[in-house]
Amino acid sequence: MDWIRENKVLSAILGLIALGVAGLGYVLYDAWGSYSAARAEYVALGEQIAQIKSLSLAPTAPNLQAKKALVQEFSTNVNKLGGALFYLQPTVAPAKQAEFQMKLKERVLEIKKVAAEAKIALPAEFSLGFNEYLGTLPNSDATATELSGYLDGIEAVVKLMIACKVRSIDLLDRTPLEMEKDPSKAASSQPKKSLPQRPGATRVNTPAVATISEKRRVSFVVTLDQGSLQNLMSRLANPADMKIAPEADQSHFASLRLLRVENQIKEGPIRRSSAVSVSDEPEIKPLVADKPKTGKEAPSGPVALVPPTPAPVDSVPVIGQELLKAQMDIDLVKFLDAAKGVTTQLNP
C-alpha cells in the first residue's frame, strides 16, 4: 500500500491496464462462446440438409410432375448435343470396294508429296495404316464405306502433324474394324448395353441403351521439337483444326488417349562434343596514330563502313537442342445414329 501511495500515477496506469485485460478477456470469452454455438448450429444444419437430400421423394403428384419435367429437360438437352455432334462429323459417301482402293492410293501419293515438300520423313512403307488394301479389296461395299471414313480421319491427323512441322512420322498403326474380320458386323448395329445395377438391389427390367459412339484407335510415333509438340497437342483437341476443309462446318473428333514423350538422345552430350577450341584468338592490333593531314581534301561522297570481324565461337548449347520422340494413341470418335435420340428410352 505504501508503494501505491508513493507511486499514484504508475499505480493508476497499471490498474487501467489490468481492467482493460480483464475486459478484453471477457469479450474474447463471450465471442468464443458465440462462435461455438454458431458453429454447432451450422454443422447440425448441414447434417440435416444432407439427410434430407438422401431421402427419397415422397410419392406425391407434385413431386412426380416435377421429376418428369426435369427428366424431360435433361433428355432434350442430351438429344440436342448428340444430334449436333452427329451432324457435325463428316458424312461418308457410299463407296465400292475398288473405289476405296483407288481413293487410298490417291491419298497416299498426296500425303507423300506434301510431306516431301515440307521435308518431313515418312516410314518406308507408308500407306496411312491400310497397307493390306493396296493389293486386295475390302470384303464388302459396306466395309469399304466404313474404311473410307476411317481413312479420312487418319488423313486429317497426318495433315495436322505436317502442319505442326514434325520432323518425321516414324510409325503409323491402326486398330482394324470388326467389319474387316466379319462382314456381318455392321457399324450401325452395335450391341446394346443394359443399365448398371447396384449390388443387392432387386433386378428390374431396365431398358437397353444403344451405343452412341465408336472409337477407332490410331498409334503414332513421331520425332519433333518442343514447339511442335505443344502446337500439335492444342490443335488436336480443337475440332476446328480437324475440319475436312477450311470452309467446311464438319470436323473429325479426336481424343488423345495416351502420350509418352522422351528425349531422342537419352544420354547427355559428351565433353569433347561440347568443347570449343580457343586457340584461334583474334589478333589484337595496336592503335595506329592518325596520319598527318595532307593538302588533299577528304572525299565528299559516302564512305562505306566495314564491320569488325566477329569473335570466334567460345560456347555451344548443350541443353534444350535435342529432339523428342513422342508416342501417341489417338481415338477417332465416330458418333452413331443412336446419338440423336439416346435418352428417348429413359424413364423418370
Side-chain angles (χ1 to χ4, degrees), residues 113-133:
K113 180 180 178 182
V114 174
E117 293 176 353
K119 298 181 180 180
I120 296 174
L122 298 175
E125 297 181 356
F126 179 78
S127 56
L128 291 171
F130 298 90
N131 186 48
E132 64 271 25
Y133 295 112

Side-chain angles (χ1 to χ4, degrees), residues 268-285:
I270 58 177
R271 190 165 184 174
R272 65 174 177 270
S273 64
S274 60
V276 178
S277 176
V278 294
S279 59
D280 299 333
E281 297 182 356
E283 181 182 359
I284 301 177
K285 297 181 179 180

Side-chain angles (χ1 to χ4, degrees), residues 106-271:
E106 291 176 354
R107 298 294 174 84
V108 170
L109 292 177
E110 179 184 354
I111 292 295
K112 287 183 177 180
K113 180 180 178 182
V114 174
E117 293 176 353
K119 298 181 180 180
I120 296 174
L122 298 175
E125 297 181 356
F126 179 78
S127 56
L128 291 171
F130 298 90
N131 186 48
E132 64 271 25
Y133 295 112
L134 292 177
T136 59
L137 297 177
N139 50 31
S140 65
D141 291 343
T143 304
T145 302
E146 292 298 321
L147 289 175
S148 179
Y150 199 177
L151 173 63
D152 293 339
I154 296 178
E155 181 188 8
V157 177
V158 173
K159 286 185 176 180
L160 183 61
M161 290 182 174
I162 295 176
C164 292
K165 299 180 180 180
V166 301
R167 299 298 179 90
S168 65
I169 300 177
D170 306 317
L171 175 67
L172 194 163
D173 191 18
R174 68 175 182 91
T175 55
L177 302 176
E178 292 293 334
M179 298 178 62
E180 299 181 58
K181 304 174 183 178
D182 187 358
S184 62
K185 295 182 178 180
S188 59
S189 59
Q190 294 292 327
K192 296 184 179 181
K193 300 180 181 179
S194 300
L195 293 175
Q197 188 173 359
R198 293 178 297 178
T202 305
R203 179 171 291 277
V204 184
N205 293 327
T206 55
V209 180
T211 304
I212 64 173
S213 63
E214 180 185 83
K215 295 181 179 179
R216 302 167 176 180
R217 187 169 303 175
V218 188
S219 299
F220 291 90
V221 175
V222 295
T223 303
L224 69 177
D225 56 19
Q226 292 280 358
S228 298
L229 179 61
Q230 295 175 6
N231 190 20
L232 178 60
M233 290 298 97
S234 60
R235 297 186 64 181
L236 188 64
N238 185 13
D241 291 321
M242 295 286 291
K243 289 185 176 181
I244 57 178
E247 66 279 359
D249 295 330
Q250 297 175 328
S251 303
H252 295 279
F253 297 97
S255 173
L256 183 63
R257 188 176 185 87
L258 182 143
L259 174 64
R260 180 179 179 182
V261 182
E262 62 182 18
N263 289 334
Q264 185 184 24
I265 303 175
K266 298 182 180 180
E267 297 181 357
I270 58 177
R271 190 165 184 174

Side-chain angles (χ1 to χ4, degrees), residues 67-81:
K67 186 174 182 181
K68 284 184 177 180
L70 292 176
V71 171
Q72 183 61 36
E73 181 183 0
F74 173 78
S75 302
T76 302
N77 293 334
V78 171
N79 289 334
K80 286 181 179 179
L81 176 61

